[in-house]
Amino acid sequence: MDVIPIDYETLRLIWWALLGVLLIGFAIMGGMDLGVGTLLPAVARTDEERRVLLNLIGPTWEGNQVWLVLGGGAIFAAFPPLYAVSFSGFYLAMIVILLALILRPVGFKFRGKIADKRWRDTWDWALFIGGFVPALIFGVAVGNVLLGAPFDLDRTLRPSYLGNFFGLLTPFALLCGLVSLGMLVTIGASIIAKRTEGVIAERATRYGQWSALGTIALFALGGVWIAFGIDGYVITSAVVTDLPSNPLAKRVELVPGGWMANYSTYPWMIVAPVLGFAGMALAWLGLRIKRNLLALLASGVGIFGIVSTAGLSLFPFLLPSSHNPTASLTLWDASSSQLTLFIMLVATVIFMPIILAYTSWVYKVISGPVTTKSLSRNPNAY
């Protein structure tokens, strides 16, 4: 291990941060697509208007899935126990998300095959489901992580999940789902307002203002609920950060307001919720005064702050166990080996700049407005 230039503790921290970056990247980039899909029936009323929205996200939605794939891959390779518990325990929820996401490529490709109103309306609603359902359930998943998942580990570290799909739909988890839905609708409305014109942009502006204010209110309610109504998980034994992973080699207890402890230990973490509130407030203001670029950038900052708030509140936990708190998974005891994390980091340093450069180039190329006139000039438009 002496040949590895980065110590085990630092590598674990780096991969915890990189996992957060990938999830935030998907929430912002993929969130624009999910938000536009959710707004499709409300913002676009005619076939031409809906074609404008489809061609707004058509060139980029597939590429934005890279962030989701990379996030799942990072969990699989960097934190295998987390992958084993979450992808098996939340299996039905994952299937619902995947089925909803599958509706999007099918809807994009099939909608224009037949010039029939009922046919196209059916696929428009499929595209709405493909945006609304993942946006909601991703937030529900985060809510259940904060509550703790009902799983246990035996002495050989083999996981067993003791819950069911409907047990995930608790009031607090649904509140988190609504926060997720609100912030993604806000960024979706912002990109519509930025890159379309006329009545479509006006409707998007109106819905975006409502969703931004709703997100602020729901995010505040969630913070109060976590502080005063939900017990948080705290490691009560010595924290060992550089030994081989063994989740059972620690003690964990539930403590009232435990998820707020990090903000006392690390005061700088308060920046995350501040950015969440400020970003959504600026997004509302930008839409209100027709500064749509400001609204788009601010909604991205708001999403960054809200997602970061959840991750920093959980630190160092990745997935607490409500059945047996000692079995909870943390970044210190649920990671791959030091060598694996280092090799993955080298690959990330090489390929992440390529992904960012290509994404930036694509958005620069398609930065112009999408209108019914521009569709008429594009033979490849949806």
Side-chain angles (χ1 to χ4, degrees), residues 108-382:
F108 274 108
K109 299 300 181 183
F110 281 12
R111 182 187 185 277
K113 297 296 184 181
I114 301 176
D116 177 78
K117 185 177 186 304
R118 288 179 298 177
W119 172 268
R120 293 189 173 184
D121 285 348
T122 298
W123 289 114
D124 287 340
W125 282 106
L127 289 165
F128 163 76
I129 293 171
F132 175 85
V133 171
L136 180 70
I137 294 185
F138 281 131
V140 170
V142 173
N144 278 280
V145 172
L146 288 164
L147 292 171
F151 73 92
D152 202 355
L153 301 173
D154 63 19
R155 288 183 295 178
T156 64
L157 303 183
R158 183 173 56 184
S160 57
Y161 186 79
L162 308 171
N164 58 69
F165 174 75
F166 294 102
L168 301 176
L169 304 178
T170 61
F172 176 76
L174 289 172
L175 172 65
C176 293
L178 292 176
V179 172
S180 172
L181 180 64
M183 68 185 192
L184 298 191
V185 166
T186 302
I187 197 170
S190 299
I191 191 69
I192 295 172
K194 173 69 172 62
R195 296 195 56 212
T196 65
E197 300 173 351
V199 67
I200 303 176
E202 291 174 5
R203 293 181 189 134
T205 298
R206 185 167 62 253
Y207 284 110
Q209 290 179 64
W210 292 346
S211 63
L213 293 176
T215 302
I216 291 170
L218 292 170
F219 186 43
L221 177 58
V224 172
W225 201 332
I226 288 175
F228 301 104
I230 294 177
D231 292 342
Y233 293 73
V234 175
I235 300 174
T236 57
S237 60
V239 178
V240 181
T241 61
D242 57 356
L243 291 182
S245 294
N246 180 7
L248 298 179
K250 65 178 182 307
R251 291 190 304 275
V252 177
E253 294 181 3
L254 279 168
V255 177
W259 289 138
M260 308 301 292
N262 280 342
Y263 296 98
S264 298
T265 307
Y266 311 102
W268 60 268
M269 288 186 177
I270 197 65
V271 171
V274 169
L275 287 177
F277 285 116
M280 286 297 151
L282 278 175
W284 172 84
L285 178 63
L287 291 168
R288 181 80 175 178
I289 63 176
K290 309 297 184 183
R291 296 291 187 269
N292 298 320
L293 178 59
L294 170 64
L296 180 60
L297 296 176
S299 58
V301 170
I303 291 174
F304 174 87
I306 291 171
V307 178
S308 297
T309 297
L312 293 173
S313 299
L314 283 163
F315 180 84
F317 289 91
L318 299 172
L319 185 63
S321 170
S322 59
H323 179 76
N324 177 15
T326 295
S328 298
L329 305 178
T330 76
L331 68 107
W332 308 126
D333 56 31
S335 74
S336 294
S337 68
Q338 184 178 1
L339 179 60
T340 299
L341 295 181
F342 178 72
I343 293 173
M344 290 171 56
L345 181 60
V346 172
T348 302
V349 169
I350 294 172
F351 290 106
M352 182 63 77
I354 297 174
I355 294 172
L356 293 174
Y358 176 74
T359 301
S360 301
W361 176 77
V362 167
Y363 274 92
K364 181 180 179 180
V365 169
I366 63 166
S367 60
V370 181
T371 65
T372 54
K373 291 183 179 179
S374 68
L375 297 185
S376 65
R377 297 192 300 267
N378 182 4
N380 298 313
Y382 289 109

Side-chain angles (χ1 to χ4, degrees), residues 16-80:
W16 171 78
L18 283 175
L19 178 59
V21 168
L22 294 174
L23 296 179
I24 291 170
F26 175 70
I28 294 174
M29 305 302 295
M32 285 190 289
D33 306 330
L34 298 178
V36 172
T38 302
L39 288 168
L40 182 64
V43 170
R45 310 286 173 78
T46 67
D47 182 65
E48 278 194 343
E49 291 174 355
R50 291 179 179 178
R51 287 188 64 216
V52 167
L53 294 193
L54 295 182
N55 285 277
L56 171 64
I57 60 175
T60 58
W61 73 268
E62 287 180 290
N64 289 336
Q65 302 307 301
V66 169
W67 295 96
L68 180 60
V69 174
L70 289 176
I75 293 174
F76 171 78
F79 302 104

